[in-house]
Amino acid sequence: VVNKCDVPIELRQLGSKVVNLRLKPAERASIPALEENKEPALHVILDEENWQWSDAIPVRNVGTNGFLVADKTGKQFRFMTAEVRQDRAILYIIIDEQKPGKYRHLVRNELEDADIFVCQEGTDPNFAIQVPPGASSPFAWLHINKERRLRAEIVSKKTNDRQVAVLSFDDINQITAIKLGATNVFSCPSIEDVTRVLRFKRQATEIKPAGSSLPKSSIVLGIENFSLSLISAARQERVELAHLCLQGLVVGLIDYEEKREFQTTITAISLDNTSNSDLFFPNVLRCAPEKKGDVQIFAVDVLIELNQRAKDIPRLNYMKFEIEPLDLRVEEQFINVVADFTTKVKAAFASHNPGALTSSEQFFNIRDELSKAPTSQIVPDWKNPVIVLKESEGLIYIEKLNISPVKVSLSFLRKSKAVEANANVLFQVFSNTLGVAISNLDEAPVNLGGLMLDNIVDSTGGISTKLGKHYTNEALKSILPLLFSINIIGNPVGLFSNVSTGVKDLWAKPKEGFRKGPLQGGLGVVIGASSLVRNTVSGAFNSLGKITDSVSSGISALSMDQDYMEQRERMKMQKARDIKEGLEQGTKSVLSGFEKGFTGIFLKPIEGASKEGVGGFLKGTFQGLTGLVVKPVTGILDFASKTTEGFKNTTSTKNLNDGLARLPRAFYGVEQHYKTYIESDAELTVLLRRLEEGKFLRDHYVEALSVIPDRNNPNNAFILLISFEHILYLSQQDRKLLWHIPTVKIANVDTNTPDKVTIVLTETSKKNPDRQVVIVTRDQRVTNHIITSIRRILEDIQQS
């Protein structure tokens, strides 16, 4: 508590008769622990005779409160403020007396023939403050925690007529007519600097100034597509971590005589996870509302209206923030990637800050130096350092704040990992399976309620604290729906949402149709009934699929085969769009499970022995035996999961497109340099990683060229894809790999023929008994380019 008054003060907790603290002027002290069974609020009294205790001041609500302290006769008043400010873990309660020019509230009597007596509504009128004609008087609330409305009694000096009106300081610029005898008196609240002023006038036109509604100037900037790439070189290889795309970004600024309007709209937002090509959720964030007829619905709409007439305090007439429902789909891998990138960035900034402690070694070196220095050179009383109280933030006035509800559909995926063969294998299996089952979410609804506030006068910190508390409380309300959206229990929230949608359509569609006619009504009955069946079936199969998928993911960890699990994850990446694809992919999972299970008995011991000797042989034998049971069982469960997925998507009307704005960026060569985004290179880079079940995953893409051997048949075209490690030849039509050559097995490139390239190999093979591979180009420029690229790679291999 800080006492900034010019007199001593005392404080006691609400509900207590014991004084907790006494402070002299300009003194500060920490208040003893408040009693838990009483409200965290404090009464204040001036440490002088004949003064009463103030109303209880809440001490945990960041912001400023004006309050009134009266003497025991009710004839003298002091206008006080209690500012609650938070700085990290410390709450400051600053008690001060209001100063002229900085009053929180002011009553201005501009009448010439009447007195005005004002007090808080609901209090004793004997405590009213008299405001004579032509005078002004500060005003404060006697009861902070009661309704803050002002009771004004106007008394005419000529006719002795009296009239009582209940008014509010919050109805800014709203004129109220008060009947006084045969005439009217007009009141209107306004803002002057940090003070809310309630004016009383005879003429309404003298209170509210008129302004022009025509704009003086305007600037509008429109950007059709804005793209931002986040690239990390923190790993051994350069990676594009994320790609943000904003569509239809419009920024406008319009100037009027009395106000300035600033508006920003965004048609669609997309944030893609581009750090990996094998992802369930490549699109992390998406907000792309569809048009409603001819009306464009914006993903984000921000409008701020600034009052140009206010000079002493920033005043916003209106502030609006609207956002459409969001799809948020996050994988654990993306969180790890972002966390790793953030750590690297912090370390980079710390290395460029001479004053930063970047290691524990530096800290201990500095500590040792301080211990050897004379005591006079060290900061005194280091256990209780003097905390400098920051200056109060400037106040801001917002007449109307409107924040729309935020609705998020949240999905989270944590992939299962192979269990290591050691003494804690059972514990690993249990923790891994349980962790995956509990943490995975599927379209969990997170609904944060909107907020509408009127006539806010506070610091930016105080407003931020209020908003933070509001959304914290709203987030807590979403915990239960999150718990009922986990996959292991079949996402009952999603099932209920599907069924309720069908029931709603069953009643709404016929009702809507019969309003137009009997034929449309009959059609509405059919549409409503089909919606109920479709949504019920879709929801039921979705729940069943989530349960079987969670169980199979947990069981697959028992195989202790990371390669098998990665291959299984790649198979799960392919979404079954209908029943046919569900059965096909499910059958493929079963066959793969039995194949991997039986072949693993022989292959796993051999692989283990070649890598780790006898220990590896024993480990591989154990993996083979467990895989013989686990992999077929996992395949059968995956069959059930894929089949139900196909049934669900057959009956669902939801778009299966993952919503990627574009494919991940391509990086070139071993140096991993990058350039302007090229769509074809991005497509071929992704294709390179997926060919032959990831055989070329670690290749460094260099370039790709189109090769047309027969100019008379341009449809018979091929793609020569060159990486630092391989030369690949693909069909351009279906992207099928025809052949590939490791670059380390290339001896030379023949340049004798201008319309073809002859690659000479270091050894013979069944496919190349003459140690040659011929690429027909029919174009000397293409031939020369291929030869130059391959020779450059061969030179780099020799140098390395």
Side-chain angles (χ1 to χ4, degrees):
V1 180
V2 181
N3 180 14
K4 298 183 74 173
C5 304
D6 55 4
V7 295
I9 62 172
E10 294 181 357
L11 300 101
R12 65 176 173 84
Q13 187 175 359
L14 173 64
S16 173
K17 296 182 179 180
V18 180
V19 174
N20 296 86
L21 196 64
R22 290 183 175 88
L23 290 177
K24 297 177 182 178
E27 187 181 7
R28 70 173 68 182
S30 59
I31 195 165
L34 300 177
E35 297 181 40
E36 294 183 0
N37 59 342
K38 295 182 173 64
E39 289 291 329
L42 295 172
H43 295 281
V44 178
I45 191 173
L46 303 181
D47 194 12
E48 295 178 348
E49 294 183 0
N50 301 322
W51 289 96
Q52 302 182 46
W53 286 95
S54 73
D55 193 19
I57 303 164
V59 297
R60 290 180 183 170
N61 296 335
V62 175
T64 304
N65 279 301
F67 65 98
L68 189 68
V69 175
D71 69 353
K72 293 180 180 180
T73 64
K75 301 300 181 184
Q76 295 185 26
F77 305 97
R78 289 213 178 181
F79 304 94
M80 314 292 290
T81 58
E83 180 185 359
V84 181
R85 198 188 311 167
Q86 185 167 6
D87 185 6
R88 298 184 182 179
I90 301 176
L91 272 176
Y92 291 98
I93 306 164
I94 305 164
I95 308 298
D96 196 3
E97 191 167 0
Q98 298 182 32
K99 305 296 189 298
K102 298 295 181 180
Y103 291 120
R104 302 283 296 176
H105 299 85
L106 190 73
V107 178
R108 184 176 296 159
N109 183 1
E110 298 181 25
L111 305 174
E112 298 177 353
D113 57 350
D115 288 317
I116 302 175
F117 298 87
V118 292
C119 65
Q120 186 173 358
E121 171 69 2
T123 62
D124 188 350
N126 292 325
F127 284 81
I129 301 170
Q130 181 178 359
V131 187
S136 298
S137 171
F139 182 83
W141 307 108
L142 189 62
H143 302 292
I144 300 175
N145 302 302
K146 291 186 178 180
E147 187 178 13
R148 299 187 182 186
R149 294 179 67 83
L150 178 137
R151 179 187 186 275
E153 183 178 7
I154 307 170
V155 182
S156 173
K157 287 196 170 187
K158 294 180 179 180
T159 62
N160 205 29
D161 289 326
R162 294 172 178 267
Q163 184 63 46
V164 175
V166 179
L167 306 169
S168 172
F169 281 95
D170 295 335
D171 300 330
I172 305 299
N173 288 338
Q174 292 187 17
I175 301 174
T176 302
I178 305 169
K179 188 75 172 177
L180 184 63
T183 61
N184 283 333
V185 173
F186 298 93
S187 69
C188 182
S190 62
I191 294 286
E192 296 179 7
D193 194 6
V194 298
T195 307
R196 298 190 186 210
V197 180
L198 184 60
R199 301 170 61 190
F200 291 86
K201 272 273 193 184
R202 282 289 184 186
Q203 300 293 329
T205 54
E206 297 177 3
I207 294 180
K208 190 172 182 180
S212 173
S213 60
L214 297 176
K216 297 190 297 182
S217 61
S218 62
I219 300 173
V220 178
L221 172 65
I223 302 175
E224 185 175 353
N225 281 288
F226 174 83
S227 184
L228 180 66
S229 231
L230 181 63
I231 299 173
S232 172
R235 305 178 182 180
Q236 293 181 351
E237 294 187 2
R238 188 164 285 160
V239 178
E240 183 184 50
L241 301 181
H243 170 245
L244 174 67
C245 181
L246 306 180
Q247 297 179 4
L249 174 62
V250 178
V251 180
L253 182 66
I254 304 176
D255 260 338
Y256 298 86
E257 182 179 344
E258 72 279 358
K259 65 179 180 179
R260 172 177 292 171
E261 290 183 352
F262 172 82
Q263 187 171 16
T264 299
T265 58
I266 303 172
T267 304
I269 303 173
S270 177
L271 176 64
D272 296 340
N273 177 5
T274 53
S275 60
N276 196 317
S277 58
D278 295 328
L279 297 168
F280 278 91
F281 300 146
N283 183 251
V284 178
L285 177 68
R286 182 172 176 80
C287 182
E290 298 180 355
K291 285 186 176 181
K292 293 183 180 179
D294 296 330
V295 179
Q296 176 64 59
I297 306 299
F298 298 109
V300 176
D301 187 359
V302 179
L303 174 63
I304 299 174
E305 186 179 299
L306 177 66
N307 191 311
Q308 299 260 62
R309 295 185 180 275
K311 303 299 181 184
D312 300 320
I313 178 175
R315 174 175 170 179
L316 303 179
N317 295 339
Y318 184 62
M319 188 172 183
K320 177 186 74 172
F321 181 85
E322 292 182 351
I323 184 167
E324 288 297 306
L326 302 168
D327 274 332
L328 182 61
R329 302 186 293 174
V330 185
E331 292 188 35
E332 183 185 25
Q333 174 267 350
F334 183 69
I335 295 176
N336 294 334
V337 166
V338 173
D340 177 61
F341 177 76
T342 305
T343 303
K344 298 294 184 182
V345 170
K346 288 182 178 178
F349 276 107
S351 65
H352 288 84
N353 183 2
L357 297 179
T358 56
S359 68
S360 58
E361 183 180 356
Q362 292 184 23
F363 170 77
F364 287 115
N365 289 340
I366 293 174
R367 187 193 66 174
D368 293 340
E369 291 177 8
L370 286 174
S371 64
K372 298 174 184 178
T375 306
S376 59
Q377 295 181 14
I378 303 177
V379 178
D381 196 15
W382 60 272
K383 290 184 178 179
N384 298 289
V386 177
I387 300 175
V388 179
L389 187 63
K390 298 178 182 178
E391 290 295 326
S392 298
E393 295 180 346
L395 297 178
I396 184 172
Y397 170 67
I398 304 177
E399 186 173 341
K400 193 173 186 63
L401 174 64
N402 184 4
I403 303 178
S404 71
V406 180
K407 297 182 179 180
V408 181
S409 175
L410 174 63
S411 298
F412 178 78
L413 178 67
R414 180 186 176 194
K415 296 180 181 178
S416 55
K417 300 176 182 178
V419 176
E420 295 294 332
N422 55 39
N424 297 321
V425 62
L426 292 178
F427 174 76
Q428 289 187 52
V429 170
F430 178 77
S431 60
N432 187 28
T433 305
L434 185 65
V436 171
I438 292 179
S439 59
N440 286 357
L441 297 171
D442 180 49
E443 297 182 358
V446 179
N447 297 324
L448 306 179
L451 188 64
M452 292 186 67
L453 297 174
D454 294 329
N455 300 304
I456 312 163
V457 179
D458 208 337
S459 64
T460 53
I463 296 173
S464 299
T465 302
K466 289 182 176 67
L467 294 178
K469 287 185 177 181
H470 168 75
Y471 285 110
T472 299
N473 293 333
E474 290 295 318
L476 291 175
K477 296 177 184 177
S478 298
I479 292 178
L480 192 60
L482 286 176
L483 294 177
F484 281 96
S485 297
I486 58 178
N487 288 351
I488 190 63
I489 61 175
N491 188 7
V493 170
L495 175 61
F496 177 78
S497 177
N498 278 66
V499 175
S500 61
T501 299
V503 172
K504 180 181 177 182
D505 288 345
L506 180 64
W507 290 99
K509 296 298 182 182
K511 182 179 178 181
E512 181 182 341
F514 280 116
R515 287 178 179 174
K516 300 177 181 178
L519 184 61
Q520 290 86 344
L523 184 60
V525 171
V526 175
I527 295 174
S530 63
S531 174
L532 176 61
V533 173
R534 183 179 64 249
N535 282 284
T536 303
V537 172
S538 176
F541 277 108
N542 180 58
S543 295
L544 181 61
K546 297 302 178 186
I547 294 173
T548 55
D549 182 65
S550 298
V551 174
S552 64
S553 295
I555 292 177
S556 65
L558 289 170
S559 67
M560 294 176 289
D561 186 349
Q562 190 63 38
D563 293 335
Y564 162 72
M565 295 184 67
E566 289 179 358
Q567 180 187 2
R568 176 177 173 271
E569 294 293 345
R570 284 194 291 270
M571 292 176 65
K572 287 174 61 180
M573 294 281 300
Q574 301 174 5
K575 299 296 182 183
R577 292 174 292 184
D578 50 37
I579 298 174
K580 180 184 175 183
E581 288 192 2
L583 291 171
E584 290 176 352
Q585 294 179 18
T587 303
K588 186 177 179 181
S589 296
V590 173
L591 295 176
S592 175
F594 277 94
E595 177 194 356
K596 297 293 182 183
F598 284 111
T599 58
I601 298 177
F602 307 101
L603 297 180
K604 285 300 174 182
I606 297 173
E607 290 178 6
S610 63
K611 293 179 181 179
E612 303 177 21
V614 177
F617 175 81
L618 295 175
K619 181 180 177 181
T621 302
F622 186 73
Q623 288 178 341
L625 291 174
T626 55
L628 179 62
V629 178
V630 169
K631 292 175 183 178
V633 172
T634 302
I636 293 171
L637 290 172
D638 284 341
F639 174 82
S641 176
K642 281 295 180 184
T643 305
T644 54
E645 181 181 77
F647 273 101
K648 182 199 75 170
N649 292 334
T650 300
T651 57
S652 175
T653 58
K654 187 174 181 180
N655 186 8
L656 297 179
N657 182 21
D658 58 15
L660 279 177
R662 63 157 175 77
L663 291 171
R665 173 184 299 275
F667 297 94
Y668 302 89
V670 180
E671 300 84 2
Q672 295 287 280
H673 66 273
Y674 57 92
K675 52 189 176 183
T676 302
Y677 183 83
I678 301 174
E679 186 176 0
S680 58
D681 284 348
E683 178 192 350
L684 292 172
T685 302
V686 173
L687 178 65
L688 178 65
R689 293 171 181 168
R690 294 179 177 175
L691 284 172
E692 300 284 321
E693 296 186 350
K695 182 177 181 178
F696 311 104
L697 184 64
R698 303 299 178 188
D699 278 26
H700 296 85
Y701 178 84
V702 176
E703 64 177 332
L705 298 98
S706 179
V707 177
I708 305 176
D710 185 0
R711 293 295 171 184
N712 297 322
N713 186 13
N715 294 326
N716 187 29
F718 301 89
I719 298 174
L720 183 70
L721 197 157
I722 303 175
S723 75
F724 187 79
E725 292 78 12
H726 292 89
I727 307 297
L728 300 93
Y729 200 64
L730 305 96
S731 168
Q732 185 166 309
Q733 185 173 1
D734 56 10
R735 300 293 197 267
K736 182 179 180 181
L737 179 62
L738 303 177
W739 55 259
H740 68 276
I741 306 169
T743 52
V744 293
K745 293 186 178 181
I746 298 177
N748 199 0
V749 184
D750 188 6
T751 60
N752 295 330
T753 309
D755 61 349
K756 65 181 179 180
V757 177
T758 303
I759 301 175
V760 182
L761 306 178
T762 58
E763 58 186 31
T764 60
S765 65
K766 292 182 179 180
K767 293 183 179 180
N768 309 107
D770 56 353
R771 293 174 50 202
Q772 290 186 351
V773 176
V774 179
I775 305 170
V776 179
T777 64
R778 304 297 183 190
D779 190 327
Q780 187 172 356
R781 293 176 300 174
V782 176
T783 301
N784 294 338
H785 189 94
I786 294 173
I787 292 171
T788 302
S789 295
I790 296 176
R791 283 184 172 177
R792 188 181 295 118
I793 292 173
L794 296 178
E795 291 174 3
D796 291 341
I797 292 174
Q798 290 176 357
Q799 291 177 2
S800 61

